[in-house]
Structure formats: structure tokens, C-alpha cells
Amino acid sequence: MEAAPGTAAAAAKPAKSCKKYRMGKRHANIYTYQEPPHSNSDEDISEEKADSQDPEQVFQNIQYQKEVMSNIRCRPWPMRQKLRVLRQAKEIVLKYEGRLTRTRGYQAAGAELWRKFLRLAYNFVVLFIPWEMRIKKIESHFGSGVASYFIFLRWLFGINIVLTIMTGAFVVLPELLAGAPFGSTVSKTIRQEDLKTAQDLDTIWSLGGYLQYSVLFYGYYGSDRKIGKAGYRLPLAYFLVGMAVFAYSFIILLKKMAKNSRMSLASASDENYTFCWRLFCAWDYLIGNPEAAESKAAAIVNSIREAILEEQEKKKSKNLAVTISLRIIANILVLLSLTGSIYIIYFVVDRSQKLENNKRELTLWEKNEVSVVVSLITMIAPSAFELVAALEMYHPRTTLRFQLARVLVLYLGNLYSLIIALLDKVNSMSVTNSIYSIYQVSNNSTPSSATGTPAKEDTLSATISDAQMNSSESHAQSLPTAGSLVNNTASSNSAQNQCWETYVGQEMLKLSIIDMIFTVASILLIDFFRGLCVRYLSDCWCWDLESKFPEYGEFKIAENVLHLVYNQGMIWMGAFFSPCLPAFNVLKLIGLMYLRSWAVLTCNVPHQQVFRASRSNNFYLAMLLFMLFLCMLPTIFAIARYKPSLSCGPFSGQEKIYDIVSETIQNDFPAWFNSVIAYISSPVVVLPALLLLFMLIYYLQSIARSLKFTNNQLRMKIQAERTEDKKKVVQMAVGQNLVDIPDDQIMSDFTQNSEGTRFQSLDGSDKRPDKDGGLISQESSVRASTPRKNGSVLNFESPVSKGTRIQTISQTVPHAVPSTDVARPVNTTPTTSASLTPAPSVSSAQKPRNDHTTNRYPSVVHGSASELCKTKPYTPVTFKKRIGDVHSEPLFRKSIRQVNPDAFGAGAPVFVGRRPHATRYFIVNENEPRKKSARSTSRLQRQFRIEEPEDIVELYPCNVRRYVVQTPQCMYSPHPSEDEEDEEALGRHYVKRSHRPRSLSDLRPAPRFYIGDRADGHVLTSKVHYKSWDDGFELDLDRPPYAYKKVHLKNVEADQHYLEPQVKPKTKHMLEQSLTESDSVSIESSSDPQNSSNDQYIQVIHSKEKYLKPGTKLTKKKSNTNIELNMSEPNELVCSNV
Amino acid sequence: MGNKQTIFTDEQLDAYQDCTFFTRKEILRLHGRYHEMAPNVVPMDYTKDPDVKLPMQLIINMPELKENPFKERIVESFSEDGEGSLSFNDFVDMFSVLSEMAPRELKAIYAFKIYDFNTDNFICKADLEKTLNKLTREELTAEEITLVCEKVIEEADMDGDGKLGFADFENMISKAPDFLRAYSSSVLP
């Protein structure tokens, strides 16, 4: 908030003076701006706008801000920061947009308006997603598996709504509005003899009576070619809608599946992350119900144990013979039950047909036998399969798949045997119809039947076989038998009025209704009452009902989903013959939704084996598609094969149902269209078209195959690289150990003996942090914007990290974080500032300094800018020479590979025209490995820790001592407990440390710098981490929550000022130097570690001399470079004087 | 939304919608949830941006989090002070990240934080052990735990440093088929 005016002011300044000014401004910000440590990000944002004067830049800036606004929600910042950044971005956009050309302004305004509208619309639409809350609630109780059932149900509901609208709008409504009214024609009147029973309950129940002659069924629709004043072609519409139902279902299904598979990223399942996934993706964050959580935890334990077992005995196979024989038995059992169920259905349908033929009055049971039996089978068989599956002893997942497959086959078998039996019946009906009409014409000659006596006295089998024969054989053959049958049917059933389409529709609707009843009953019985019993009887029962036998009902996702699929299959199958079936299904699904969700919430426990059917899983959809296809076949078959009933329905009098299309084309389209159609449908066109299709399919398939191949190859490549990397790492780790030894020796020797010569080296390394103070300045300036900077930065670190290492050794706790701290700031700060400082400008204050340093390190080999240009070859060299960082190379390459694309994506708009995005990330990511290496070394050296650093202090000459003091400083940071290492704790240590040196008056500058460095490092550490992991996000915007910890800390600690100023000067320091560009600086940065062992000595000496007056010099330098610094200076001085 | 009183100004709601994956209604509902946890502390009027924080204890008792083995870590990861107390902003933020609309990358970042128990920016063995123990309610034996930890690191550790950095973690998690859904939570009405 304080930053806002400041930065705004900065923005207002003309661009020329901008550089310096801004620099100062930033420091001012840092100083004034203490409470939110993440303020930098805001400031950095506003920084972007500061250098925008020409319209293009303004435009780009605005674009950038807009981008920030648009994907701010995807950034991992705390909300407060997001809100602030958003507000600032909006302000900037508002402020600067006016400067752009008018069209751009309009465009922007339009876009804004559109966005608002979209949001409004979205808010509005969301309100209308049904059951959202209900599903969410279930989701939060039972996890996503159960919820996926309801989501699937809702999706089916949506489909059925569309189907209902289609049939309702184009078929049912026109018929109701413009068709012939009830009772006007034969097909629309109830027969006289049925009239008296038409309103009986059982007639209505079996969908007879008035219901049979209603828009519910095919038979009611008139066959007039055109109805109403507008001449609505109802028969054509009926046919087209019937086809459209299938077409729509197919399209929507395939679309959904395609979307899902796109979403699921073509997951490479052969990726071997079994344990990782089981660990990190195990918990379902939706679970909010204790029982669900319980079973989930148990499931996780199981799955982990399973994985362990699989891992341990991958090749073991126990008692194959028994399991195989068991499995064979199980499969035989399943097959038997499948065939049994199919036979029962067929038998029942036949029996009902026979009963209809023979008996006048049918009981309620007899009327509903078929549907009840089918529903019963669908209810019972899955449980039977489950029992059988227990025999097989498969892996639970496999068991589930088998179970699903079997249930699906069962459902399909049921539906198919039912429809085949029905069609059989239809067949016989139409045959008898035609025969009957023939016989009517030929004076109804009573035949001398082969069976002789009327069918009534015959055995059941005889009549059945007769019926069979009739249906399957030709008229001529079965004439006599048919005759007898005709008599029967004519007498008892009045075949003319039979309308097989209506009959099929009736059966399907009946099936659907009874299925619904059974579902409701099963929910009530199996779930609700069982739950009640278990709940209330368990207190007075001899065993624990809740955990032993009956338990609570489980919600079996897979079976329930399959049931939905089956249900939808029935709808598809019957929709052509009963146009209102989708509408009925909509009601059914609504009821099911409420009932199920209620039952789940009240009396179900989640399934033990949680079946993870994610939303993006195509499994259900694939089953549904399969079902759709198979359900479409009988309908299509019936349409294509059978002659429509003569006396009823829109297609009466036609030879085939689809004739309506050709008829319409012939009669109502111009002649040329006719001929075109004729051509198109002729083999001349059809055959080539088919061929073309085949070729296309083949072509696409081969493409898919090749893509798969390349995919596999790429994956293999990745894998190979991965293993290679691992190998390299191992090698390097070995190498590193070797190299590390001298280092360690030095350490140990040093700490134990504290000899002069070694001190020098130590000294050098110790001093390095200080030197860094200087080095950083040049180094950071180097890294203004070219890729070579990497090189320099890299090298640069080497001394630092070394120093670090040494420090860590002396530390009591082998803390990872502190050791890295020092290494970090060097890279990070520069990188941040790199993004900020656009052009290399050499400030006068900086130049001498640069020369200075070059002089100071004469031994440095690669100094020239030209050398720096070849970063790539260069880097490895340094790596190899450097001790600690050897193995970081491959890693760092890897990380770059990962990072870069993202970096470009996010960063591009801002830094247009600047190359070094890659570089920047490069640097950042390099940190990681280095840090790691530093850490590993620290770990290695743990044992060399020595307790008496004070000695060292004694040994040193006075000017040296102040550097050596750092060691005790570090020493001073013993963490009391090793296990709990918090950032916070760390921070405190810094603060404490800072107290220490304060007391030693002559140590003033060194501790200050050092601490500054450290503290800085501390803050920046987290920053770096962040950068490395959310690669896509801008460095400058990026602020870790860890930073807050510092704030927090500040509040806790009394002397917050102490820490703060120490942080500040450092940052400022680096930032300001970042503005100056001099490649020569990289010279000393390139001081190889190899040399560095030598160099260090030299350097040490040099620096010793230099550091005789360190405090003053450094401060002077600062004051030179920056006026604003003065502000900070007193602060520092005060601090150090305490 | 002028039904009873203004909880947020329109700009605030807009800003929240920009910063989260929620609709207006959901934000208001979230506020309701936040409010009902501590009706005395949380004001109904948020137009002034009051500085109210609820302690972790309250928040982890929400039904959405209650059963989550990592609830403390979740709350800590989202709290600005790192100690688990959440302001309303943090609260919204948390559920925004946990919402099913949030992209994979964002979730991965926070998932990593959640599993990084000691906040050293690495998932080390100790973290893995803690994760396992929380996940399985300490039902695994010590050997099993060690084995699983070793396996996990062996699988995912690309740079061979014996622990998982974020790069490792992201690489691993991004290939998990049901990662997105596993890290989604929803808020009750």
C-alpha cells in the first residue's frame, strides 16, 4: 500500500532519469516498506510500467497486466497478495489504457464488457445445474467415487431431457395438437369388448386400456401423410426423430469421451510410479465422513501392502493348480447362470405368449411375469456373481473388472433375450396377421390341422413349437398349422387389432416401470430397513450387527452405474416404439437421484474397495456406448426387417418403415433431386464411397499407430535419459566424495590443529562472503541480460559455496538451509534485478570498482567477455573443476529443460525483446543442484565439526579476526533440536547471531555484511525455491510465504530493526549494482575453483589488505553509488554501534 | 445480493472472482461458512477488509477437512503466517486451490507444500514417513514404512539426492492419472 504512491511517482517520472531514480526509489521502498516483505512483487510490477513511455511499450505493459489479471488465480500466492496485485494491475490498465489509440481503447472496453457478461452468464448458468449441492454434499461425505455415480446419473438425465424434448416437440405435441382426436379412427379407439375393463387397475397397470391407445405408444399415431393446416408430415417426423435419438446419443457420447480422453492426458500407465501414486494420490480430499475416512485409510493400507507384496514376490506363483481349477469352476458357474437367466427369460416370454393365446383372463402375475422375472434376475444375479468371484481369488481390481464384465454381459443377455423373444412373438403375430387376412379373403376355410385337435388340448410344447414354426417358416409350409392358430388367435385375441409395435413399446415401458419399482424396493429393503435393523437391533443382539454379518449396506458404485447403463439401454431400445419412454425415464432418473442420494447419506457406508472412477474416466461411457450400439441393433433390425402393422401407427400400409423416406423424396422433392438421390444410392457411388471410407479408416489407423510408436519411443528416450542421469549422479557422487576429501581434511585439520597455512585457506574462504559483497556488485551488474551471464554467475558461486561449506562445517547443526543461504543471494538477487534493469548502463561509481576487482584477482584466467559468450562449453569446465558442484551439471540441464517453456509462456510479454529468460531461469535452477551439493557436502563433513572455534579468533591478526569471527557466528547458531528445523527458528538464529558481533566493536563491518548476507540469503532462499518450482511465474512477482515468517519473526523478536537493516543494505546493494553492466566483472567470477584454491590465497592476501578499512570503504562505495542509500546508512551504523 | 446486508462490495466480489475459481454465490457461501465457525469474531461486513483470523483449531474441524489426515498441513500451507490461522482471504484461497477447477500445476505446488512437513522445500524421508503414518493411521510396520519410503524415493528422485525436490514431485505427480481429482475438495452449502 505504501508502495503504490511511491511507484506511481516513479512511473510518472520521465524515462530518462528513470534508471537512477527508480533505483533509489526501490531502495526507498525497501526501507519504507517493511511490513509486507513480499512488497517487492508489487513494486516489480509497477516497475514494469515505469519504463513505458512509447505506446508500444504501454500496450505491451497493459497486455502484460491483463495477462496477470487473467491468470492471477493460477498463481500460488496468498490471497492478499493476489488481491493487491490485481488491484494494481487494474489501476495500471485503467490509467494507461487511455493513452492508447482509440480503437484499442474500444477493443479493450469491448473485451471488458464481454468478460463481464460472460461472468454474469456463468454465474447465472451455474444456478441451474441441478443437484449441484446435493452431489457436493455426497462428494464431501463419501468421496468422489460415489459422487461419480451421481454425476453420471445427472449427465444421463441431461441426455434424456434432450431426447424428451426432441420427441415431445416433433412427435408427441404435433400429434396431440393436430392429429386426429381420440376415438376418431379405429386405431385410436378402444375395442368394444375391452371398454368395460379399460379402467380397471390391472389393465392400467399392464398399460392396456386407455394407456394403450395414447400417445405413449406407436400405435396411436396416425398414418396421415400430412396433418394440420401447415401440413406437418408426422410419419416422416416420427421416423426422423427415431433416428435422431440414436444419432444424438452417439454424438454426445463420443464427444464426451473424446473430451475426457483429452483431459486425462493419455496417462502413461506404464510409468513406474506405483508407490509414489499410492502415497501421494491416495487420499481423496473430498472425504468428509468418518466412516468413509476409516475405510479409505484401510483401503490405502491394503493397497500399499499389496504393492509391497507385488514388489516382493513378483515372480512367485503359489498353487497354480488349485486356483486355476477354482477359476474354471467359477467361470463355468457364471456361464451356467448366464445361460440360465437367458433361458428363463425366453421361457417366460414364450409362456406369456402362450398364455395370452390360451386364456381369456390373465392374472396380474401372468401379465407382468416377464418384466418381473427380468428385473429379478438383474437384481439377484450380480450378487451371485460376487459370490462366485470370491472363489477365484483374483486381485481385487481384477475381480472388480470381471464382476463388471459379467454383470454387463448379464444385462445385455437379459435385454437381448427379451427383445428377441418379443420380436419372435411379433414375427408370429405379423405372420398370423397376414395369414389371417389371406384366409379371410379365401373364405375362411377351416383347415384340417396336422395336429388335429384345437390347440387348447395340446401340450404346451406342441403349441410352442407350432408357434415357432409359424414364425420361422414360410406360409405355404405352415398353412395348416397356421390355420388352426389363426382360428385360435382370431377367436381369443382378435389379431387385426394387434399392433406389434405397440406391444413392444408396452413391454419396454412395463420393464422400465418394474425395474424402477424393484430399484426402489431394493433401496428400501436392502439399504434402509437393513440399516434400521442394524442400527437399532445391534444393542440387543448376540453379535455385533454393525461389524459382523448384516452390517450396513454398501454403496456399490460399479453395479449401480451398470444399472444406470442398463436402464438407459432399455430406453434406447424402446424409444422408437414408445415415444414417451425418454420422458418417463427423465422422471425415473429424478426419482432415483433423490432416493439414492437420500439412501446413500442415511444408510450406506462406502464400498470397501473404493473404485476410483474419476470423472475423466471413460469406463462408464465406454460401457454406455457399447450398450447404445447393442440396443440400437434390435430396433434397427425391427425397422428394417418387419413389416409395420397394417392397422395402426404412422407407417401402416407401407411395406417397410423406412419407405417413408424414399416416398417423401419421390413425392415432395423436385425431379432432379430424385435423380441425384438415385445416383447417390446406386452402387456406382456407394461402392467407391465405401472404399474411400475404408481407406480413410486405414490411413487414420496407420497414423495413430505411428504416433503411438513415436510416443513409445519418446517415452523410452525419457526413461533412458533418466537412468543415464541417475547413473551420472551416482558416478559424480562417487567422484565428489573423492574430491571432497581434501576439503574435509582441511576442515578437520583446521579445526583441530589450527595451523597457520591452513588458516590462510580458511581465511580466504571465510573472507569470501565479504568479498562477495564486492563481487556481487560486479557480478550482478554483469548479469544484466545476456545469456553469458550464466557463466559468470556460476563461477561466481563457486567461491561462495565454498565459503558456505566451510561455515557449515563449523556449525553445530548440519543445517541444510543455512549452508545454502550464502550461495543463493548471489544468484537470486541478480536475477531479479535482471528482469528489472533493461539496459546495461555503467554508473560512474561502479567502474573503478570493477577495475579494482580485476586487479585484485590477477590470477583469473578467463576474463574477457568473449570467453563468456560461449556459455555452454564454458560451464561444464568450471563445473568439473569446481569441487562441490560437479554433479550438478546434468541436473541443472534437466531442470532447464523443464522450466524453459513455461518461463517463456509467462514471462514473454513483459520482457519482450530481451533474450535472457532462459538464462535467468538457468541461473535459478542451477541453484538447486548447487545447493544440494553444498548440502551433501555439509552432510559429509558433519563429523568434522569441532567445538572450539574461539581459538581461531585468538590466532588471527586483528584485521583478520573480524572475518574469522564469522566462524563463531555460525557456531553460535546451534539448533537445540535437530528434528524440528523451521524457517522461523532459523530466522531467530540469525537475529541472535546478529547480537553477537554487535558486542565486539571491531567486528562491526564484517558481521554486518555477513549477517546481511545471511539474512538476505535467508529471505531469498525461499524465493529461489519458489522460482524453481513454479517456473512459469515471474521472478519478480514471486514471493514466498516463507517471507512472511520473517515478518512474523520480526514481531516476535524485540529488535526487529536489527535484522531488517541488515537485510536491506544487501539487497539494495545488489540491486544497484545490477544496474551497472560490465562484462569484465565476470573475470573474477570465472576464477575456477581449481585455481581458486590457489587464488584464494592470493585473494585472501589482497583482500586482507583491502579490508584493513573495510567498513568505511564499503559504506563509501555505497554512498557513492546511491544517494538514497544515505537513508539506510544511519540505520546500519546505529546497528553496528550498539 | 442486496438481500439483507452487504457483505462484500461488488468490486471485492469481482476481485475475488478474478483471484479464485469461485462464482459470486460460492464466495458468499464461503463467507457464510467462515462466519459460522466463529460468529462472534467474524463480522458480516467485509467491505472494510477487517483483519480477522481464525485459529487452525476451528478450521480443521470443518467437515471438509476434519477427516483429512493432512488437515494441519493444509491449513498451515495456506496460512499467511505459517502457523495455521487463516484470514478470510487465506480461507478462500485454500478452497480455491482445492476446487476442482484449479489447474494441475497450482495444485501440485500446494500439494508439495502439504507434504513438506518440515518446510525445508524437500520431501525427505522424514516427511514421507510422516505422510505414510498419517495416511495409514500408523498401521504399517516400521519395515514396511522404510521400504515404501525407499521405493518412493527410488521411483521419483531424479537427481539422486535422496529426497524429492519440487521438480521431482511435480514430474511424478503430473503423470498421476487421478491426481487432479484426488486433490479436490468442495464446500458444503
Side-chain angles (χ1 to χ4, degrees), chain A residues 861-882:
Chain A
V861 193
H862 356 267
S864 65
S866 61
E867 262 191 71
L868 290 168
C869 292
K870 31 174 188 167
T871 329
K872 270 284 153 82
Y874 176 71
T875 1
V877 175
T878 41
F879 269 127
K880 256 161 238 156
K881 286 184 190 158
R882 214 173 296 141

Side-chain angles (χ1 to χ4, degrees), chain A residues 625-637:
Chain A
L625 189 70
F626 186 56
M627 200 67 168
L628 172 60
F629 178 70
L630 290 181
C631 289
M632 200 179 66
L633 282 185
T635 313
I636 299 288
F637 178 74

Side-chain angles (χ1 to χ4, degrees), chain A residues 715-731:
Chain A
R715 192 174 299 145
M716 267 159 65
K717 221 185 216 168
I718 289 171
Q719 226 145 23
E721 227 156 88
R722 212 175 122 189
T723 46
E724 193 112 312
D725 280 349
K726 271 191 182 170
K727 244 184 262 164
K728 249 186 217 165
V729 167
V730 171
Q731 279 174 0

Side-chain angles (χ1 to χ4, degrees), chain B residues 50-70:
Chain B
D51 185 25
V52 177
K53 288 190 172 185
L54 294 186
M56 164 154 51
Q57 220 42 48
L58 275 177
I59 292 173
I60 58 175
N61 274 326
M62 289 178 73
E64 287 84 6
L65 293 176
K66 206 169 168 196
E67 295 303 328
N68 198 312
F70 309 110

Side-chain angles (χ1 to χ4, degrees), chain A residues 751-946:
Chain A
T751 38
Q752 281 163 2
N753 311 329
S754 57
E755 278 176 31
T757 43
R758 295 217 173 102
F759 282 146
Q760 280 206 327
S761 68
L762 207 227
D763 198 3
S765 45
D766 265 347
K767 229 159 261 171
R768 221 149 275 135
D770 279 11
K771 200 175 53 198
D772 289 346
L775 296 186
I776 287 161
S777 60
Q778 296 106 14
E779 183 274 334
S780 51
S781 63
V782 173
R783 150 247 27 94
S785 44
T786 37
R788 354 184 151 113
K789 269 45 159 264
N790 303 329
S792 65
V793 174
L794 288 181
N795 303 329
F796 219 56
E797 276 157 12
S798 70
V800 180
S801 54
K802 257 224 174 134
T804 322
R805 211 171 299 133
I806 290 160
Q807 283 150 13
T808 33
I809 291 152
S810 52
Q811 232 167 313
T812 341
V813 176
H815 228 288
V817 185
S819 66
T820 54
D821 285 343
V822 183
R824 288 299 179 42
V826 187
N827 303 316
T828 50
T829 4
T831 38
T832 11
S833 45
S835 58
L836 301 176
T837 55
S841 74
V842 183
S843 75
S844 56
Q846 212 56 34
K847 252 190 185 150
R849 183 85 188 146
N850 295 334
D851 303 340
H852 207 53
T853 38
T854 31
N855 293 337
R856 221 199 285 165
Y857 311 109
S859 64
V860 169
V861 193
H862 356 267
S864 65
S866 61
E867 262 191 71
L868 290 168
C869 292
K870 31 174 188 167
T871 329
K872 270 284 153 82
Y874 176 71
T875 1
V877 175
T878 41
F879 269 127
K880 256 161 238 156
K881 286 184 190 158
R882 214 173 296 141
I883 296 171
D885 303 328
V886 184
H887 70 256
S888 58
E889 191 232 25
L891 310 168
F892 114 91
R893 246 201 230 150
K894 201 191 307 157
S895 53
I896 286 166
R897 218 176 294 137
Q898 293 169 347
V899 165
N900 273 342
D902 282 29
F904 278 112
V910 205
F911 307 100
V912 188
R914 249 179 270 159
R915 276 161 58 205
H917 307 292
T919 325
R920 250 185 305 138
Y921 285 94
F922 206 102
I923 295 164
V924 169
N925 280 297
E926 227 165 281
N927 268 333
E928 295 282 325
R930 182 150 308 111
K931 176 188 58 204
K932 282 166 194 161
S933 69
R935 211 175 281 182
S936 55
T937 41
S938 76
R939 213 184 298 141
L940 283 171
Q941 291 155 356
R942 211 175 283 172
Q943 63 259 36
F944 297 113
R945 258 188 297 113
I946 277 319

Side-chain angles (χ1 to χ4, degrees), chain A residues 61-349:
Chain A
N61 185 18
I62 285 178
Q63 287 299 309
Y64 167 66
Q65 300 294 357
K66 281 186 176 163
E67 199 184 283
V68 166
M69 278 157 65
S70 67
N71 55 24
I72 193 164
R73 57 175 67 160
C74 297
R75 306 206 166 189
W77 308 329
M79 181 62 70
R80 201 144 62 97
Q81 189 189 346
K82 278 197 266 191
L83 286 175
R84 183 172 32 225
V85 171
L86 180 77
R87 202 182 52 227
Q88 286 191 348
K90 275 184 178 165
E91 273 169 16
I92 292 166
V93 170
L94 257 181
K95 189 168 166 189
Y96 286 90
E97 214 155 33
R99 290 194 198 171
L100 297 173
T101 59
R102 186 159 288 183
T103 39
R104 266 177 185 168
Y106 284 142
Q107 273 174 3
E112 177 69 11
L113 214 65
W114 178 241
R115 212 169 55 84
K116 277 203 169 143
F117 172 75
L118 280 186
R119 173 167 292 170
L120 200 74
Y122 176 68
N123 278 346
F124 188 70
V125 164
V126 160
L127 288 180
F128 288 92
I129 295 178
W131 306 310
E132 185 71 14
M133 269 13 281
R134 188 172 285 265
I135 290 175
K136 284 260 164 79
K137 194 171 171 187
I138 292 166
E139 216 170 30
S140 69
H141 275 78
F142 288 89
S144 52
V146 177
S148 71
Y149 166 82
F150 288 96
I151 288 167
F152 186 63
L153 200 161
R154 184 174 64 184
W155 186 72
L156 280 181
F157 170 75
I159 288 184
N160 278 294
I161 291 250
V162 175
L163 296 188
T164 308
I165 289 171
M166 268 171 20
T167 49
F170 295 112
V171 176
V172 180
L173 268 185
E175 172 66 32
L176 279 178
L177 294 177
F182 180 74
S184 56
T185 61
V186 188
S187 65
K188 289 187 180 187
T189 36
I190 302 175
R191 279 175 299 140
Q192 211 57 43
E193 60 264 38
D194 290 341
L195 203 54
K196 54 183 182 299
T197 60
Q199 283 178 338
D200 289 0
L201 193 63
D202 66 320
T203 319
I204 291 173
W205 175 246
S206 57
L207 303 173
Y210 287 106
L211 285 180
Q212 188 178 349
Y213 300 95
S214 70
V215 283
L216 275 181
F217 299 112
Y218 168 92
Y220 182 76
Y221 294 86
S223 58
D224 301 333
R225 286 290 165 266
K226 290 181 184 180
I227 57 169
K229 285 175 198 149
Y232 188 76
R233 299 166 196 278
L234 185 76
L236 184 68
Y238 195 98
F239 181 78
L240 290 182
V241 165
M243 294 301 105
V245 163
F246 289 121
Y248 172 77
S249 305
F250 259 121
I251 289 168
I252 202 90
L253 252 173
L254 289 175
K255 235 172 105 180
K256 179 97 176 166
M257 285 177 83
K259 193 178 153 204
N260 277 348
S261 60
R262 237 181 296 131
M263 265 170 64
S264 63
L265 276 172
S267 62
S269 53
D270 53 333
E271 214 55 71
N272 39 7
Y273 286 119
T274 2
F275 279 95
C276 285
W277 289 344
R278 265 166 222 241
L279 183 57
F280 292 120
C281 302
W283 192 258
D284 190 334
Y285 276 50
L286 284 167
I287 287 178
N289 178 342
E291 285 161 33
E294 186 94 15
S295 63
K296 183 81 201 181
I300 290 168
V301 172
N302 279 341
S303 82
I304 288 176
R305 289 227 166 100
E306 229 168 61
I308 293 173
L309 272 182
E310 270 172 32
E311 190 67 28
Q312 279 171 346
E313 32 191 303
K314 251 177 185 165
K315 279 146 206 162
K316 269 189 200 168
S317 59
K318 37 171 192 186
N319 226 346
L320 261 177
V322 176
T323 40
I324 284 182
S325 54
L326 274 177
R327 281 172 195 180
I328 288 172
I329 292 171
N331 277 316
I332 289 172
L333 282 178
V334 169
L335 274 181
L336 279 180
S337 58
L338 279 179
T339 44
S341 72
I342 288 170
Y343 174 74
I344 288 174
I345 291 173
Y346 202 84
F347 173 75
V348 166
V349 173

Side-chain angles (χ1 to χ4, degrees), chain A residues 551-567:
Chain A
E551 299 180 53
Y552 290 108
E554 276 177 354
F555 184 79
K556 294 173 182 167
I557 304 164
E559 270 103 59
N560 277 301
V561 166
L562 265 181
H563 186 257
L564 277 184
V565 169
Y566 167 69
N567 178 55

